[in-house]
Amino acid sequence: MNETNQIDLTENFMKSDSWDDFFGEIKDQYIGYNEILIKGVKLGDPLRINGKLLTGKQINVRFSDCHFKSTVNSTENKTLNLIFDNGCTFKDEVAILTRNQAGISIQDCEFFKKLSIHSLSSTGDRNLNDILLKDSKFHAGIIFGDGEYDGFIILENSKFYQKLPDFRYSRFSRNLNLNSFYCDEKTIINKFLESPDYDTPELARDLKLRCAQSNDHDRELDFFAIESRTRAVLKKGYYKFVSDLYSLFSDYGRSISKPLIGILIIFGLLLVINCGTALSTKQPKGKYVGHAFFVSVNDSLPFPLAFNKDSIKASNQVIFENEYPPMSYQYVRLFLVSINLVLWFCFLLSIRNFLKLK
């Protein structure tokens, strides 16, 4: 592992009349160092790192515990790594403009408004090696501008609260790993409900498709849920009704317990109705309970049990004093069994999703 040969130029940086000139002046005087540290400063004006003037081997420009309010513009240099870490905060919208950059690292930072990363190229070459976004908080999302990205995009332990990351306009030579960042689904949905827009379902759809390409089935379901819920708000009507039912019955295929509880509730209702009917006909308790249980189980399953019709008719005879239930019961049974079939479908789908079967 290469040791970092670092020089702290915080005081020189703050005394400089022009930050452009400051970075321009370091090319000869500090050529032996591979990292320049700027620590604990507050930057209210746009910052332009004139990396083209930084010569020599690969060099890191590290901002530690700094506070930014505006654009960070890093010009062309294929050996420049731009690093923000150790509690850097960004109060306003921030755009990092890069050209043929070696890499960007953002660790333990907080962005209160949108972060934009634009990879500019006049040669048509792929831009940037690796972009690391680690242990950082994004309150308004991040957008990668139109460009080619050649390295890894790592979102390790980063948290997105009100907006999903936007990769729609970018092209990556490597698959994105979308399993390592946290997405606050509840807050994103609430923010969307405050001001509905078409971006949120489109962002979720894009992330869902990228997860499918990486065979990340769990995250694919999460983004599918966000897409479905937000799109239902925009479309309304029948689409919203179906989406709400899917959410209620199985949390968009992510919950096994919800449909299972619903199935047990339907069984309980059928059992109560059957027992109540038998009780009203004054059947002995020891005689009708077993038959009521059998008929309730049979009606609760999505497929017929291995019982012959004569057995079912015999149970109906005990419960209803007739081989066939009355029409009033059949209507109730039809309603409950219809819901039950939907619950069974959601239950089996949730099992499939849990086992990650295709």
Side-chain angles (χ1 to χ4, degrees):
M1 181 181 294
N2 294 329
E3 294 185 3
T4 301
N5 187 14
Q6 184 187 83
I7 181 170
D8 188 338
L9 296 183
T10 303
E11 291 187 8
N12 305 49
F13 181 81
M14 293 307 298
K15 292 177 182 178
S16 176
D17 294 330
S18 168
W19 293 328
D20 285 2
D21 293 341
F22 172 81
F23 282 106
E25 292 170 354
I26 68 175
K27 67 172 183 176
D28 296 324
Q29 190 174 357
Y30 306 110
I31 198 65
Y33 296 94
N34 59 16
E35 182 165 289
I36 298 168
L37 175 66
I38 310 295
K39 184 176 181 180
V41 300
K42 295 183 178 181
L43 306 174
D45 297 325
L47 170 65
R48 182 171 182 268
I49 301 174
N50 196 351
K52 198 170 186 178
L53 299 179
L54 298 172
T55 60
K57 296 181 294 185
Q58 181 170 298
I59 187 167
N60 299 332
V61 177
R62 180 185 297 272
F63 291 89
S64 181
D65 191 27
C66 294
H67 302 273
F68 297 84
K69 290 192 66 177
S70 193
T71 299
V72 177
N73 183 356
S74 176
T75 58
E76 185 169 353
N77 191 296
K78 294 183 179 181
T79 62
L80 175 64
N81 283 317
L82 193 58
I83 301 173
F84 303 92
D85 66 4
N86 194 29
C88 285
T89 59
F90 300 79
K91 294 293 184 181
D92 293 336
E93 286 193 11
V94 175
I96 298 179
L97 310 177
T98 67
R99 188 186 300 276
N100 296 332
Q101 198 83 11
I104 294 175
S105 175
I106 295 174
Q107 300 186 54
D108 190 27
C109 297
E110 188 164 10
F111 294 81
F112 291 92
K113 293 189 178 180
K114 183 174 67 178
L115 166 65
S116 302
I117 296 179
H118 298 275
S119 179
L120 310 175
S121 176
S122 57
T123 62
D125 296 333
R126 290 183 181 274
N127 293 279
L128 294 170
N129 283 331
D130 297 336
I131 299 180
L132 174 64
L133 307 173
K134 182 178 180 181
D135 298 322
S136 296
K137 299 176 181 178
F138 298 88
H139 295 277
I142 178 173
I143 180 171
F144 284 78
D146 185 18
E148 299 277 347
Y149 296 86
D150 194 33
F152 288 101
I153 311 296
I154 303 172
L155 305 177
E156 184 178 350
N157 294 328
S158 287
K159 298 181 179 180
F160 292 83
Y161 292 101
Q162 297 181 2
K163 200 78 173 178
L164 293 168
D166 188 350
F167 302 104
R168 291 174 296 172
Y169 310 107
S170 307
R171 296 167 297 282
F172 303 96
S173 61
R174 306 172 188 269
N175 283 339
L176 294 174
N177 180 7
L178 300 176
N179 190 42
S180 59
F181 75 89
Y182 171 77
C183 170
D184 193 330
E185 182 177 326
K186 182 178 179 181
T187 306
I188 287 173
I189 297 297
N190 289 338
K191 183 68 176 178
F192 173 82
L193 293 176
E194 290 178 9
S195 54
D197 60 82
Y198 285 95
D199 264 356
T200 301
E202 292 302 324
L203 291 175
R205 177 177 174 80
D206 176 69
L207 293 170
K208 179 190 71 176
L209 294 175
R210 293 182 185 277
C211 287
Q213 293 171 359
S214 302
N215 293 317
D216 187 351
H217 194 49
D218 289 337
R219 295 294 277 174
E220 182 184 353
L221 285 174
D222 291 339
F223 295 128
F224 168 72
I226 295 175
E227 179 195 3
S228 298
R229 293 186 64 181
T230 53
R231 200 177 295 280
V233 173
L234 296 175
K235 287 191 173 183
K236 302 180 181 179
Y238 173 76
Y239 188 96
K240 187 176 189 307
F241 175 74
V242 173
S243 177
D244 289 345
L245 282 182
Y246 195 17
S247 174
L248 176 65
F249 287 157
S250 70
D251 192 21
Y252 298 100
R254 295 180 294 178
S255 172
I256 295 176
S257 60
K258 274 190 173 185
L260 183 58
I261 291 172
I263 290 169
L264 294 176
I265 290 174
I266 296 294
F267 166 74
L269 289 174
L270 289 169
L271 184 61
V272 168
I273 292 172
N274 288 327
C275 288
T277 303
L279 185 63
S280 67
T281 59
K282 299 181 180 180
Q283 297 283 354
K285 182 177 181 181
K287 184 178 180 181
Y288 72 75
V289 171
H291 291 282
F293 185 85
F294 163 66
V295 172
S296 301
V297 169
N298 188 71
D299 290 342
S300 298
L301 294 174
F303 48 85
L305 284 174
F307 297 107
N308 56 47
K309 293 182 179 180
D310 291 337
S311 298
I312 298 175
K313 288 180 180 180
S315 295
N316 287 337
Q317 184 69 49
V318 173
I319 298 170
F320 305 104
E321 295 184 326
N322 195 310
E323 291 183 353
Y324 300 97
M327 289 302 296
S328 57
Y329 173 81
Q330 292 191 43
Y331 286 135
V332 173
R333 176 186 174 279
L334 177 64
F335 174 73
L336 293 178
V337 169
S338 298
I339 297 176
N340 202 46
L341 288 174
V342 176
L343 290 169
W344 271 103
F345 171 80
C346 292
F347 176 71
L348 295 174
L349 182 62
S350 298
I351 292 291
R352 166 193 174 270
N353 290 335
F354 177 76
L355 296 176
K356 300 178 178 61
L357 301 175
K358 285 293 186 178

